[in-house]
Amino acid sequence: MSTLELSEQEQIRRNSLAELRNLGIDPYPAARYEVTATAAQIAEQYDPEKGNFQDVSLAGRIMSRRIMGSASFFELQDHTGKIQVYIKRDEVCGGDPESTLYNKVVKKLLDIGDIVGIKGFVFITQTGELSVHCKGFTLLSKALRPLPVVKEKDGKVYDAFSDPEQRYRQRYVDLIVNPQVKDTFLKRSKIVNTMRQFFNERGYLEVETPILQPIPGGATARPFVTHHNALNIPLYLRIANELYLKRLIVGGFDGVYEFGKDFRNEGMDRTHNPEFTVMEIYIAYKDYIWMMEFVEEMLERVAIALHGKTEVMIDGREISFARPFRRLSMTDAIREKTGFDITGKSEEELREACKKLNVEIDETMGKGKLIDAIFGEYCEEELVQPTFIIDYPIDMSPLCKRHRDNPDLTERFELFVNGKELCNAYSELNDPIDQLDRFQEQLRLSEKGDDEAMFIDMDFVRALEYGMPTCSGMGMGIDRLTMFMTGQTTIQDVLFFPQMRPEKAAQKDGEKEFGAVGVPAEWVPVLHKMSLLTVEAMRKIAPGKLFNDLCGFNKKNKLGLKNPTIEDVRSWIGE
């Protein structure tokens, strides 16, 4: 990066970096720095009467500072919070007559964002502020870019780093200047750990299955495809974990589960990311009725672990995860909201019903997707409190066991919360002949143009032919569960690094565009350096201010350029 491509602040910090090195200070030391206390520990445990924390070592980032002659204050932020540091010239400089460490380093060469180590003792200032009195100081990392300045006054936040696109692209900055963001991800970790403990207590085994698969299966979705050079075959990023986990049930495991990444080559919106986290669990000798009770108990436990109660606020509505949840068949849900009974209806009858109900459909959709379209249009958003939608038509569930009482239905449920699907579960299909027939029906849909239809996985059929016990399986989206449990409204707020569109380069006029209004070529890089990237941006500046800024920049940076006249600048601006 050339000097003229840096902002003024970035150049000042690089100058400070060079001066630190000239003073013999390594701005990026390799040695470990021993930390003995955190900001949170001091805040919670310090007792002036006990006189504890009298020999502490902390490390963190400078977030603000006040230079006051021979003494200064700055705010140190570590991974637990913030604490004030008091630093006095005579105490950190020892016998140095020039007090270099304080007069040059602390006062002039340190910046907000720098990471430092502090050794000292804890005390309470005369104004009642808990502080660390610095006795020793070490620079651990020099920051070359300035942080966004977030100001707080009387409980109000000003100049917040709040633009969503910036926050998601630069999550590292978001986590530094918006401490509340970290809390969401701490809760996400607690959700996963609570679920993992719940499963492990019951003796179920956590496993890992392939992400690169020769046949994407276990769901109806469009996959990402890649190519393996050594084998010269296409491979797919998995869309679900299901078929491999059920192979392990065939192999004799009683219960297996996996927290893993799945990938679907579909659209992005506030609730969908192409890469997402799911938990899938399969348990032998159980059915979907047992699984509903299992899910109720698990979610109740997660809510209590996070909030100390079963009630959670989602989108301004109080949602109760207390057992039991409501249960409603797919057929009854659609009949309740539309008056239409889907029982026994042909594909054409369903297609005609969709038209009458103004449900958007296309010619590639079979019976399953037509029913799903009606349900999505009329029922989903009405399911606010946790509700199990059960007993789906067989056309919607190619991997699910037929209903024990009605062969046109399947033993399947989906749990809906706040109008969104949270999990999907079956009494798993273990009849290999029925499974092959269902796969072949999916092939028919694929040939009809449905690019989300399942592939035929003959190895999975072969596994079933060796015999899979009665089994219930369930998959749950961890991203969506985290949204619900933390009150976030977009999936991007519960992912550290959500998928983003390519970053647009800033529009930048060159010598040709600036030259057309009379700006000499040698002044174009200077205008860019001053963040005036276009003629339009330059023309928004008052002529007098622009003239003074250009002349000042030229002098300060010793560029040696011939200054323009005020008349020159007026002509550039078009006055």
Side-chain angles (χ1 to χ4, degrees):
M1 183 180 291
S2 71
T3 300
L4 285 176
E5 288 179 324
L6 298 171
S7 70
E8 185 176 4
Q9 274 294 317
E10 289 170 337
Q11 186 57 57
I12 289 171
R13 287 176 180 243
R14 278 167 171 73
N15 293 342
S16 297
L17 179 74
E19 194 165 345
L20 285 164
R21 286 182 165 136
N22 289 337
L23 291 170
I25 297 173
D26 184 354
Y28 306 104
R32 74 173 186 174
Y33 189 85
E34 193 70 40
V35 174
T36 61
T38 66
Q41 286 172 340
I42 293 171
E44 293 166 6
Q45 301 172 23
Y46 176 65
D47 186 340
E49 294 183 3
K50 292 181 180 178
N52 54 345
F53 293 109
Q54 294 306 290
D55 183 15
V56 297
S57 176
L58 299 89
R61 193 182 295 272
I62 297 173
M63 297 303 291
S64 66
R65 59 186 193 142
R66 302 194 311 275
I67 306 296
M68 302 185 304
S70 63
S72 301
F73 290 92
F74 62 81
E75 190 176 46
L76 188 79
Q77 176 175 289
D78 66 11
H79 69 285
T80 67
K82 297 177 181 177
I83 192 166
Q84 179 173 272
V85 174
Y86 170 72
I87 185 166
K88 194 173 182 180
R89 179 185 60 203
D90 296 341
E91 295 190 15
V92 296
C93 293
D96 180 3
E98 296 185 7
S99 300
T100 302
L101 185 61
Y102 184 83
N103 289 340
K104 286 191 176 181
V105 177
V106 173
K107 291 179 72 172
K108 297 180 180 180
L109 303 181
L110 284 188
D111 292 290
I112 291 173
D114 290 351
I115 299 173
V116 297
I118 298 295
K119 295 183 186 296
F121 62 88
V122 179
F123 74 110
I124 304 290
T125 67
Q126 291 181 351
T127 59
E129 183 81 16
L130 181 66
S131 305
V132 177
H133 189 123
C134 178
K135 305 289 284 186
F137 166 86
T138 305
L139 176 62
L140 300 176
S141 182
K142 179 68 183 167
L144 298 183
R145 286 181 181 264
L147 289 171
V149 179
V150 180
K151 301 173 184 175
E152 290 186 46
K153 186 176 181 181
D154 300 327
K156 292 184 178 180
V157 176
Y158 301 89
D159 300 323
F161 185 65
S162 57
D163 178 72
E165 178 144 341
Q166 280 189 301
R167 289 182 53 236
Y168 304 148
R169 286 192 192 281
Q170 301 179 43
R171 181 67 82 187
Y172 37 89
V173 178
D174 189 31
L175 290 165
I176 294 169
V177 301
N178 293 321
Q180 72 280 3
V181 171
K182 186 181 291 185
D183 184 59
T184 295
F185 293 98
L186 293 175
K187 287 180 177 177
R188 179 183 176 118
S189 179
K190 192 167 188 176
I191 289 168
V192 172
N193 288 334
T194 300
M195 294 171 69
R196 183 175 276 122
Q197 183 182 26
F198 183 77
F199 302 149
N200 290 346
E201 286 173 359
R202 287 154 180 75
Y204 305 137
L205 180 69
E206 184 169 10
V207 299
E208 294 177 310
T209 61
I211 292 175
L212 285 174
Q213 300 182 353
I215 298 175
T220 54
R222 186 184 300 119
F224 287 93
V225 62
T226 186
H227 186 81
H228 190 287
N229 290 337
L231 295 177
N232 193 28
I233 59 171
L235 288 175
Y236 302 87
L237 294 179
R238 71 179 172 203
I239 57 175
N241 315 47
E242 178 169 345
L243 300 187
Y244 282 93
L245 290 171
K246 288 199 285 194
R247 285 172 169 93
L248 297 179
I249 297 297
V250 171
F253 285 101
D254 180 62
V256 292
Y257 70 92
E258 180 174 16
F259 288 91
K261 292 287 189 181
D262 285 356
F263 308 84
R264 297 183 183 178
N265 197 354
E266 298 166 348
M268 299 188 301
D269 57 33
R270 58 194 295 270
T271 61
H272 293 89
N273 195 66
E275 173 185 349
F276 56 99
T277 303
V278 296
M279 185 288 305
E280 291 198 34
I281 186 167
Y282 294 83
I283 304 170
Y285 310 112
K286 308 297 184 187
D287 63 10
Y288 81 133
I289 298 172
W290 178 92
M291 185 61 79
M292 279 188 265
E293 296 170 356
F294 183 79
V295 169
E296 288 173 336
E297 185 179 354
M298 180 187 71
L299 290 177
E300 186 178 74
R301 180 159 166 176
V302 168
I304 292 172
L306 254 65
H307 304 287
K309 57 183 181 179
T310 56
E311 289 70 40
V312 177
M313 293 301 296
I314 304 175
D315 291 343
R317 297 185 282 202
E318 185 177 87
I319 307 295
S320 174
F321 285 96
R323 294 177 281 173
F325 302 163
R326 184 189 183 201
R327 303 182 186 191
L328 182 67
S329 75
M330 168 71 78
T331 301
D332 288 344
I334 291 175
R335 185 190 298 117
E336 187 179 283
K337 296 300 178 184
T338 69
F340 178 68
D341 189 348
I342 61 173
T343 304
K345 295 297 188 292
S346 67
E347 182 175 316
E348 285 308 311
E349 288 172 318
L350 289 168
R351 193 175 299 280
E352 189 62 32
C354 286
K355 292 176 182 177
K356 289 180 180 178
L357 293 168
N358 295 315
V359 175
E360 189 174 335
I361 58 173
D362 62 57
E363 293 304 314
T364 69
M365 298 168 75
K367 287 178 64 176
K369 285 202 168 184
L370 293 171
I371 294 170
D372 194 38
I374 297 171
F375 178 79
E377 182 71 26
Y378 283 90
C379 304
E380 283 191 21
E381 291 189 2
E382 304 297 320
L383 303 171
V384 176
Q385 295 298 326
T387 303
F388 290 119
I389 297 297
I390 65 173
D391 300 345
Y392 280 55
I394 197 165
D395 308 272
M396 299 179 68
S397 311
L399 295 170
C400 186
K401 187 183 285 288
R402 290 178 188 269
H403 198 283
R404 65 196 72 180
D405 298 323
N406 185 340
D408 293 329
L409 303 177
T410 57
E411 297 200 347
R412 174 186 178 187
F413 72 79
E414 287 184 300
L415 175 63
F416 286 84
V417 178
N418 198 41
K420 299 286 190 301
E421 176 206 340
L422 179 57
C423 78
N424 188 18
Y426 308 154
S427 293
E428 299 294 338
L429 179 60
N430 59 349
D431 179 341
I433 296 173
D434 192 359
Q435 179 64 84
L436 182 57
D437 288 343
R438 307 249 204 119
F439 274 151
Q440 288 171 338
E441 172 60 19
Q442 289 289 301
L443 180 62
R444 185 188 71 79
L445 292 174
S446 177
E447 290 169 347
K448 189 177 177 181
D450 186 346
D451 59 4
E452 293 185 348
M454 288 191 190
F455 290 49
I456 295 182
D457 188 339
M458 291 307 299
D459 179 70
F460 177 67
V461 174
R462 178 170 58 190
L464 292 184
E465 289 174 345
Y466 282 98
M468 184 176 82
T470 300
C471 172
S472 183
M474 183 267 291
M476 179 173 290
I478 298 302
D479 306 322
R480 188 165 291 177
L481 176 61
T482 304
M483 288 173 62
F484 289 158
M485 289 294 176
T486 62
Q488 301 300 323
T489 57
T490 67
I491 193 171
Q492 289 82 6
D493 283 320
V494 300
L495 301 174
F496 272 129
F497 305 106
Q499 187 65 48
M500 304 289 289
R501 289 181 174 82
E503 194 168 1
K504 292 181 180 178
Q507 183 183 347
K508 194 173 184 179
D509 290 342
E511 292 181 5
K512 179 181 178 182
E513 290 79 12
F514 279 102
V517 297
V519 178
E522 63 268 24
W523 282 100
V524 173
V526 176
L527 289 165
H528 288 169
K529 181 77 175 286
M530 293 166 59
S531 299
L532 300 174
L533 302 182
T534 64
V535 172
E536 182 183 1
M538 178 187 70
R539 288 185 157 179
K540 291 179 180 178
I541 310 298
K545 183 178 187 317
L546 181 58
F547 172 75
N548 290 331
D549 288 349
L550 289 170
C551 295
F553 192 93
N554 186 21
K555 181 179 179 181
K556 183 176 181 179
N557 292 279
K558 300 177 182 179
L559 300 180
L561 299 176
K562 181 182 177 181
N563 285 329
T565 66
I566 185 65
E567 289 75 20
D568 290 333
V569 174
R570 286 198 177 103
S571 70
W572 300 350
I573 289 178
E575 289 192 357

